Amino acid sequence: MRVEFHPSVTTSLGVEVEVGIVDLATEGLAGRASDVLAVLGEGHPGGVHPTVKHELYECSLELVTGVCPTVAAARADLERSLAQVRPVLAERGLGLLATGVHPFASYHDLVRSPGERYEDLVSRIGWPARRLMTHGVHVHVGVRSGPRALAITGALTGVLPVFLALSASSPYWHGRDTGLASVRTKVFEALPTTGLPPRLTGWDQFERLMGTLVTAGSIRTIREVWWDVRPHPDFGTVELRMCDGAATLSEVAALAALGQSFVEQCERRLDAGEPLPVPAEWVLRENKWRACRWGLQARLVVDDDGRTAPVEQVAAGLVADLAPVAAELGCDGELAGVLDILEHGASYDRQRSVVAAGATLPELVGVLRDEWATDVVHRG
């Protein structure tokens, strides 16, 4: 199967942010997406808003940017979309929640969004798809060729646990503390063609694998390959899909800056003829689990001999290494936001602190809505 990759000239980026719709009276999820999108689509071709979209279930919206040269431009794009969404929500007594999973909602109450694609997805996959009341942040970064995208995908697997630990925002499931920093990760892993990407050393191997999956009926199109990081041939990007929903736009921007800077550094190393390192498979799987379980309190395996280091130390070192590249890209300010997350804690930890101080889970949702609305994290 031939898969044409549409190259990007620069490490431009696009960001997709999934958010939950919340009823302000109950703080529960509200299946009102079609209502909201009908209003937002007025005046647009086909009644479809260009940057605010349906997700699988009616309790969610997806905010998408265009192709942006900088992280600041991507953030401004998201802010324009939110400026249109918020008045429509407010008129209906609704708000937004941007963390990985709503703390107490039940997936049994989910109402599927209209459309044959969504109906087919739930019909084919069944129970794992029925549980997908999850929200994430996806970051696309442009690369110059398919083979480069594959090499950079491999390199990114080594730092995925850092992205997960920084963004982890889903400790609760159906009103219970799971003990995980990111229950969303485990819920999403139950779907087919998810998880860490296989180790592929050439674009021909990628094409062969995609062809095999289509022929076998495992997927209809390569859009249904939902790895934690993947080449996206149509967009000419690598797509980071590891992150939980981020509680603030500043955290979204920090994750985007980390992704853009890392990919740009990889491009430069490939230009210099340097191989991109990929840790052993057992290290990748172990580190992903550790970040999912313990978030920023995890210790990551840093070599094949099993030595470990705190994920906070690994993240700070990555920021220091990428700082010169980020400065050239104009996202050094946003990249410094990673250090802010290390200082004030990731969302899963802040959520537990709110509950430990005596808040109910509905009250916690109110705090989370406020974080997203104000771009200010709750510090107890």
Side-chain angles (χ1 to χ4, degrees):
M1 174 181 178
R2 175 154 176 77
V3 180
E4 184 178 0
F5 188 90
H6 302 280
S8 300
V9 177
T10 65
T11 46
S12 55
L13 77 159
V15 181
E16 303 165 359
V17 177
E18 298 163 354
V19 292
I21 303 172
V22 175
D23 185 323
L24 301 185
T26 66
E27 300 292 7
L29 288 175
R32 302 287 297 278
S34 288
D35 178 20
V36 172
L37 289 169
V39 176
L40 292 173
E42 292 175 359
H44 294 284
V48 177
H49 194 279
T51 63
V52 186
K53 307 289 185 180
H54 268 297
E55 264 297 323
L56 177 60
Y57 290 109
E58 280 280 283
C59 58
S60 301
L61 296 170
E62 183 181 44
L63 313 175
V64 300
T65 73
V67 179
C68 301
T70 64
V71 175
R75 175 170 180 157
D77 207 335
L78 292 170
E79 287 173 338
R80 284 190 291 271
S81 295
L82 285 168
Q84 296 175 60
V85 171
R86 282 175 172 143
V88 179
L89 294 172
E91 291 171 359
R92 290 157 176 78
L94 304 172
L96 293 177
L97 177 79
T99 50
V101 172
H102 185 283
F104 64 86
S106 169
Y107 73 83
H108 299 290
D109 300 327
L110 299 178
V111 177
R112 191 181 65 245
S113 296
E116 184 178 343
R117 176 190 169 207
Y118 295 135
E119 182 178 355
D120 177 68
L121 182 70
V122 175
S123 176
R124 283 192 295 120
I125 296 175
W127 180 70
R130 284 287 301 138
R131 299 187 306 159
L132 277 182
M133 58 176 191
T134 59
H135 302 115
V137 173
H138 301 169
V139 179
H140 290 263
V141 185
V143 293
R144 300 204 297 270
S145 73
R148 282 176 175 253
L150 203 58
I152 293 170
T153 293
L156 279 164
T157 59
V159 295
L160 287 179
V162 174
F163 283 90
L164 177 55
L166 290 166
S167 66
S169 61
S170 52
Y172 298 101
W173 177 254
H174 282 224
R176 301 285 183 90
D177 190 329
T178 64
L180 302 177
S182 172
V183 70
R184 170 193 164 272
T185 298
K186 306 311 292 183
V187 172
F188 199 76
E189 276 182 347
L191 273 68
T193 67
T194 59
L196 290 163
R199 187 161 299 186
L200 303 172
T201 58
W203 191 249
D204 58 332
Q205 291 185 9
F206 179 77
E207 291 179 318
R208 180 172 177 78
L209 175 58
M210 295 302 104
T212 299
L213 290 172
V214 170
T215 301
S218 300
I219 61 174
R220 305 284 178 85
T221 74
I222 64 174
R223 290 179 60 192
E224 295 176 358
V225 172
W226 300 308
W227 298 333
D228 297 333
V229 57
R230 65 179 182 180
H232 198 301
D234 288 345
F235 292 167
T237 64
V238 290
E239 181 187 6
L240 278 154
R241 301 171 49 85
M242 185 74 263
C243 298
D244 265 14
T248 68
L249 269 181
S250 289
E251 291 181 343
V252 172
L255 296 167
L258 187 63
Q260 186 186 34
S261 301
F262 187 88
V263 173
E264 175 64 26
Q265 185 183 75
C266 286
E267 285 275 29
R268 295 181 185 189
R269 288 179 173 173
L270 290 172
D271 286 341
E274 299 177 20
L276 300 181
V278 182
E281 185 176 354
W282 79 267
V283 173
L284 298 178
R285 296 190 180 282
E286 177 68 14
N287 282 345
K288 180 182 175 182
W289 159 248
R290 290 179 179 217
C292 168
R293 172 65 175 89
W294 290 290
L296 290 179
Q297 283 73 49
R299 291 186 65 89
L300 299 183
V301 181
V302 294
D303 60 33
D304 290 350
D305 295 323
R307 282 185 283 267
T308 65
V311 66
E312 292 180 319
Q313 178 183 320
V314 175
L318 191 57
V319 169
D321 185 47
L322 295 174
V325 174
E328 293 182 40
L329 293 172
C331 65
D332 46 329
E334 291 89 352
L335 182 64
V338 171
L339 302 180
D340 292 336
I341 297 172
L342 297 181
E343 189 272 326
H344 58 58
S347 178
Y348 74 91
D349 211 6
R350 304 197 304 268
Q351 290 180 46
R352 286 184 172 133
S353 294
V354 170
V355 172
T360 64
L361 291 183
E363 288 169 339
L364 170 62
V365 174
V367 171
L368 295 173
R369 282 193 298 99
D370 188 61
E371 284 194 338
W372 181 249
T374 64
D375 200 45
V376 176
V377 300
H378 181 83
R379 293 176 179 265

